[in-house]
Structures are given as structure tokens and as C-alpha cells.
Amino acid sequence: MIKDAESLPECNVKLFMRHSIRFDNPINGDYTQLLLTPEGIELARKMGSSIDRPLGECAASPVKRCVQTVKCIAEGINGNYDSGWKTRKVHEYKAFGTLLGDPGPEESGGVGWNKYFHYLQTGNIEGSRGITLEMEATPVLDGIFSFNGSPGTLDIICSHDSHVVILASALFNLRTGLDGHSWCRYTEGLFLYGTRDDFTAVWRGQTKHFHNYLC
């Protein structure tokens, strides 16, 4: 991501990223309460210290660890670039925390985590129970471009690995397979700039332009 960031133009850029390192899976299956570990807090703050442009808008999934990640990034921002951002509200956007399909455990009636994303990526509509990759990606893109920071600023939008994988799959043909290889890492994300109907995306050293994509 550092090399990707170095290639970005001096316009408003949006970073759509996964939250930082969280605690292990809960016994009761309630992932919504999982917060960042001390290591995760430090990683997010370190990420903030590397930002070298003023911050624009900030948004996140309503799930606590995503909001926490954004706030920790803000805590690490160099004083030359914070622009009062540390006191701004983190906009919580539902589409960054929900999915149309059910990637939950098969024993609970879901499709299965890795299977669900594999089916989306390969167009297996039967396997994904009628949900397509485009259906999952559209509200994510709509949400990202609903926040409009000023020119030359960086908007931070924090979501989950599922949503970053969906967007990378739709835009860059990411394939994670049934074993989840090439999965999104903690704090990894995509850079996007432009407008909803005419934007450029950057991911893992690749840059692609999109015009009227899923509009």
C-alpha cells in the first residue's frame, strides 16, 4: 500500500480499508463486540503517522472496531496534517457493515465463509443463493462516493475484510478460492479517486479506470 500511496495524484482520494487487528473470535459468535487488540491500536496509530496529506471525511461500518480503527488512525496523524480531523465525527454507514448474502457457517444455515466469496467471484449464482458480486459491490461503491472530502485530502473509510474482498473482486478480479488464499489483511485497502461514475482504483500495485461502472 505504501507504493500505491506514492502513485496517487493531488486530488481527493478515498482509502477503503479493513479495520486493524481485533481480538479472536468470540465463543458466543457475536463478532460485533470485538474491539482492537493493543497491537491493533498501535498498528492503526502507526498508519496515521504515515499519512502525508490533510484528512478529509471519515466514515466506517457501525461495528465498533471499525469506528475505533478510524479514531486510532486520527490519534497518530502528524500535527501538520490533522486539520482538526481528530475532533470530527466518524460517519457510520450501514452498507459498510452488512451483506446481502449469508456467508455464515453452514451448520447454522449459511453458505460458508470462503465458499460464499468464491461463489461470488466465479459467478456461481446457485451457490451464492441468488446474490451476485455486482449486487454486493454496488452499495459499497455508492457509499464510498457519498463522502466528498476537499481537493487534496484523504478520506478514510473503514469496513471489514468481507467488503474489501468484494470490492477488490469486482474491480480487480481478485480470486480467493475455497481456502481463502490472497485474502485481505488487517488495515489493507483500496485507494479510489474521481467520481462515482468516473473513477480510478488502486489495489496491490494495479491501477484501473472505471466509467459508469455499476451506476
Side-chain angles (χ1 to χ4, degrees):
M1 285 181 61
I2 294 176
K3 288 186 177 180
D4 288 344
E6 291 173 349
S7 70
L8 299 173
E10 294 297 325
C11 63
N12 174 251
V13 175
K14 304 172 191 305
L15 171 59
F16 184 70
M17 60 175 287
R18 182 186 182 183
H19 57 76
S20 194
I21 305 168
R22 62 166 173 77
F23 283 98
D24 291 336
N25 297 348
I27 296 176
N28 65 2
D30 184 5
Y31 289 80
T32 63
Q33 301 304 312
L34 292 181
L35 297 179
L36 303 184
T37 64
E39 182 184 5
I41 291 172
E42 182 60 28
L43 175 61
R45 288 174 177 167
K46 183 177 180 180
M47 186 173 184
S49 70
S50 70
I51 293 174
D52 60 357
R53 66 172 67 196
L55 269 292
E57 296 295 325
C58 55
S61 157
V63 177
K64 293 179 181 179
R65 59 183 171 274
C66 296
V67 176
Q68 185 185 15
T69 295
V70 175
K71 291 182 176 180
C72 288
I73 290 174
E75 291 174 2
I77 294 173
N78 184 294
N80 293 328
Y81 296 106
D82 67 18
S83 301
W85 189 71
K86 295 179 183 180
T87 62
R88 296 186 197 179
K89 176 181 175 59
V90 178
H91 302 284
E92 298 180 12
Y93 194 81
K94 185 177 179 180
F96 299 146
T98 59
L99 294 170
L100 298 175
D102 182 6
E106 294 179 77
E107 57 268 26
S108 302
V111 176
W113 185 260
N114 287 334
K115 284 185 178 180
Y116 182 67
F117 297 95
H118 174 68
Y119 293 151
L120 291 179
Q121 292 163 353
T122 57
N124 186 335
I125 305 301
E126 182 178 357
S128 64
R129 301 177 181 174
I131 304 298
T132 66
L133 179 60
E134 291 75 17
M135 290 168 62
E136 291 282 23
T138 298
V140 176
L141 280 169
D142 291 344
I144 290 172
F145 285 100
S146 69
F147 300 98
N148 298 304
S150 302
T153 62
L154 177 70
D155 296 343
I156 299 285
I157 303 172
C158 185
S159 184
H160 304 269
D161 53 342
S162 54
H163 293 64
V164 175
V165 166
I166 282 170
L167 201 55
S169 300
L171 301 181
F172 291 95
N173 201 35
L174 175 66
R175 294 293 181 264
T176 54
L178 291 173
D179 61 354
H181 66 270
S182 300
W183 198 258
C184 170
R185 300 180 295 274
Y186 286 117
T187 71
E188 185 178 18
L190 305 89
F191 293 103
L192 302 98
Y193 54 91
T195 60
R196 176 63 182 88
D197 60 354
D198 189 16
F199 66 90
T200 297
V202 184
W203 160 261
R204 292 182 177 176
Q206 306 171 73
T207 300
K208 293 179 67 175
H209 178 254
F210 298 87
H211 183 68
N212 288 330
Y213 182 70
L214 301 181
C215 289

